Amino acid sequence: MRLLITRPQDDALKLAQQVSAQGHDCVMAPVIYIVARDVVLPSPENIQGLAFTSANGVRALSQQLGPNAADWLRLPAYTVGPQTQQAALAAGFGGAQQAAGDVESLADLIASRQPADADMPILHIAGSHLAGNLQALLAAHHVSVEKAILYEAVAATAFEAPVATALQQATIDGVVIYSQRSARIFIDLFNALKAPAGKKPVAFCLAPAIAQLMQAADFETRIAAAADEPAMLALLQENA
């Protein structure tokens, strides 16, 4: 298959290598661009742990640690799912723990590990667009949260010319989509092409909620068995 990879650039490169190894032809077309923000961080001594809701957050924090990096890396780290945990472990957060792939399970994980009504908050390393409200979820468990928005997740405004041409000529067999926001952006960009009626790429979706958006836009969908990269790779292999 010829597959369009819509993930942000760093994630797209890694995924494209794995998908190409399966024998697919990959075209990278990020629909979200990650732009770092310069933010003054609190002292690691004043927080009780870190919450990461994306690998982009791990990378953004790693770029800002500075001379007291060791103090940050010793903090308990809680990650939303397997990709984020892998990024945290690679960055040196040796005890990074993994939730089940959504903000609700991340809140449950943190609440089960951290004392309620503690003097110091959890620091949520986040981007400018958030899925779910970790702060509100943990407030129900009496765990306080501060948010550090370390990057902007900027939506693409158009496909690059070769990608647009491939979509218009229906030479893309499938599009790989990892988030609801990516799905919405892809749909808007695809509709703006005014491509002739005909074959649309099959949407390979990481979760049912993503598939629902694509189905509403008249795309045929396939859904990974779990919300993680191994399940997506298995889905693509099954449909090779």
Side-chain angles (χ1 to χ4, degrees), residues 35-90:
V35 180
R37 292 179 58 175
D38 189 12
V39 175
V40 177
L41 293 168
S43 169
E45 297 176 355
N46 295 326
I47 57 177
Q48 62 169 311
L50 298 166
F52 294 108
T53 43
S54 76
N56 293 313
V58 176
R59 288 189 282 265
L61 179 61
S62 297
Q63 292 168 6
Q64 297 196 34
L65 292 186
N68 59 348
D71 294 330
W72 285 97
L73 295 173
R74 280 195 290 267
L75 289 169
Y78 305 98
T79 64
V80 71
Q83 285 87 245
T84 308
Q85 185 194 38
Q86 289 171 13
L89 292 172

Side-chain angles (χ1 to χ4, degrees), residues 1-3 16-26 236-237 240:
M1 285 191 296
R2 193 176 192 209
L3 295 170
Q17 290 174 345
Q18 294 172 298
V19 173
S20 295
Q22 293 181 335
H24 300 293
D25 179 17
C26 293
L236 296 174
Q237 187 64 53

Side-chain angles (χ1 to χ4, degrees), residues 18 36 40 60 84 119 145 154 170 177 185 210 222 231:
Q18 294 172 298
V40 177
T84 308
D119 292 335
V145 176
V154 181
I177 304 183
I185 297 168
I210 301 168
R222 304 283 188 275

Side-chain angles (χ1 to χ4, degrees), residues 72-142:
W72 285 97
L73 295 173
R74 280 195 290 267
L75 289 169
Y78 305 98
T79 64
V80 71
Q83 285 87 245
T84 308
Q85 185 194 38
Q86 289 171 13
L89 292 172
F93 294 95
Q97 301 178 58
Q98 170 192 323
D102 55 64
V103 177
E104 290 77 13
S105 66
L106 178 60
D108 290 340
L109 172 64
I110 294 170
S112 72
R113 300 290 194 276
Q114 294 293 332
D117 299 316
D119 292 335
M120 297 184 297
I122 293 289
L123 186 65
H124 178 194
I125 306 300
S128 54
H129 288 79
L130 299 176
N133 189 335
L134 182 64
Q135 194 167 22
L137 290 167
L138 281 173
H141 295 282
H142 306 285

